[in-house]
């Protein structure tokens, strides 16, 4: 436990020194505030408070930004150490490779949690101040923050896996960009094309919802939508959320970090210092 915490503390000092924590928090605050004010126009027409619309907008933001920030912080965790020549020193410490990964993961998820809590919390407070608030919208905001952290954990683990498999930091960066593009953009485009070709057949009615929720980014979106009627009203994804049982999206999003971390540890075991 002491070794794992020592690695986590060292990683946190690195994040503070290279200003990553400050920049990630600033990005979250600016984007969340921009979407909050840009999306405040339809509140009167929909009959909901400003915070509800803000949460729906920030859900879309988090689908794109949480995986991107997680991959930015994790892609060189192993490949970068190898390029800098510090991997051999790191592996010489009396800590197992699983402990090293766990220490890095703890520090990185704490940094993501801080950035997302401050970013979404600031935007939520502004929306509540100017446009009102309800109990349901407050719960939706808290759920958004927690699930965004969980989504970030998924891509942190996948980023470690790519970092261990890549030959260097440059290759890891390219692989991470490709992973983000596949999970966040191309996956949904492929599903959309399949639905159009199916024309309301068996795939659209029975298979499509499950294939969609198998993607952690879509599982995050469905979880936040299915859990709140007001967010579903403003998001336009009510049908997709209602086609699945309530447990489907949470189970998918909770399993993915475990799968990613197991893959990362297996890949790290094969890395030679």
């Amino acid at each position: 436990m002491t070794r794992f915490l020592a690695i986590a503390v060292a990683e946190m000092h690195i994040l503070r020194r290279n200003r990553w924590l400050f920049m990630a928090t600033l990005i979250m605050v600016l984007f969340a505030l921009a979407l909050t004010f840009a999306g405040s126009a339809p509140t009167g027409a929909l009959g909901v408070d400003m915070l509800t619309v803000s949460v729906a907008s920030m859900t879309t933001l988090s689908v794109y930004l949480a995986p991107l920030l997680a991959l930015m912080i994790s892609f060189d965790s192993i490949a970068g150490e190898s390029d800098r020549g510090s991997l051999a020193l790191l592996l010489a410490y009396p800590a197992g490779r699983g402990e090293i990964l766990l220490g890095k993961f703890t520090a990185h998820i704490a940094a993501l949690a801080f950035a997302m809590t401050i970013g979404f919390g600031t935007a939520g407070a502004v929306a509540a101040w100017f446009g009102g608030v309800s109990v349901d919208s407050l719960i939706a905001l808290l759920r958004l923050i927690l699930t965004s952290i969980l989504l970030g954990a998924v891509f942190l683990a996948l980023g470690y896996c790519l970092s261990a498999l890549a030959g260097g930091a440059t290759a890891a960066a390219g692989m991470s960009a490709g992973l983000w593009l596949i999970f966040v953009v191309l996956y949904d485009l492929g599903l959309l094309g399949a639905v159009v070709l199916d024309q309301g057949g068996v795939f659209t009615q029975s298979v499509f919802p499950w294939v969609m929720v198998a993607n952690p980014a879509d599982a995050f979106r469905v979880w936040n939508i299915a859990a709140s009627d007001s967010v579903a009203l403003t998001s336009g994804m009510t049908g997709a959320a209602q086609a699945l049982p309530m447990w489907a999206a949470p189970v998918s999003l909770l399993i993915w970090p475990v799968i990613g971390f197991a893959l990362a540890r297996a890949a790290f075991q094969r890395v030679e210092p």
Side-chain angles (χ1 to χ4, degrees), residues 21-256:
L21 186 60
F22 170 76
M23 292 304 301
T25 304
L26 181 63
I27 289 171
M28 291 300 302
V29 170
L30 292 178
F31 274 94
L33 285 175
L35 281 182
T36 295
F37 287 109
S40 62
T43 54
L46 293 173
V48 295
D49 56 75
M50 185 175 174
L51 181 56
T52 296
V53 178
S54 176
V55 169
S57 300
M58 289 189 292
T59 299
T60 302
L61 170 67
S62 191
V63 168
Y64 292 94
L65 207 51
L68 183 61
L69 290 176
L71 290 171
M72 285 174 61
I73 195 177
S74 63
F75 81 90
D76 71 337
S77 294
I78 299 171
E81 297 273 7
S82 180
D83 285 351
R84 291 188 293 270
S86 57
L87 182 60
L89 177 62
L90 182 64
L91 294 178
Y93 292 158
R97 299 197 180 200
E99 289 177 301
I100 293 173
L101 278 181
L102 186 59
K104 288 177 175 288
F105 180 81
T106 302
H108 295 165
I109 198 65
L112 282 177
F114 179 84
M116 291 175 183
T117 301
I118 298 300
F120 291 142
T122 301
V126 170
W129 177 266
F130 287 101
V133 64
S134 65
V135 175
D136 184 63
S137 60
L138 283 175
I139 294 174
L141 177 62
L142 179 60
R143 184 188 309 113
L144 171 64
I145 294 173
L146 294 176
T147 53
S148 296
I149 296 170
L150 192 55
L151 181 62
V154 173
F155 284 88
L156 278 177
L158 294 177
Y160 298 146
C161 183
L162 294 182
S163 186
L165 293 174
T170 303
M175 293 168 65
S176 297
L179 182 74
W180 180 87
L181 192 63
I182 290 171
F183 273 88
V184 178
V185 180
L186 298 181
Y187 191 92
D188 288 344
L189 290 178
L191 287 182
L192 179 61
V195 168
V196 171
L197 291 175
D198 186 57
Q199 296 182 349
V202 176
F203 176 82
T204 302
Q205 298 178 12
S206 303
V207 180
F208 166 72
W210 292 100
V211 176
M212 181 182 68
V213 84
N215 181 355
D218 288 329
F220 161 82
R221 195 155 28 196
V222 170
W223 188 354
N224 281 278
I225 290 166
S228 176
D229 293 336
S230 57
V231 174
L233 175 66
T234 58
S235 67
M237 289 186 63
T238 310
Q242 292 177 347
L244 292 164
M246 290 291 293
W247 54 263
V251 167
S252 175
L253 202 55
L254 288 168
I255 286 177
W256 264 104

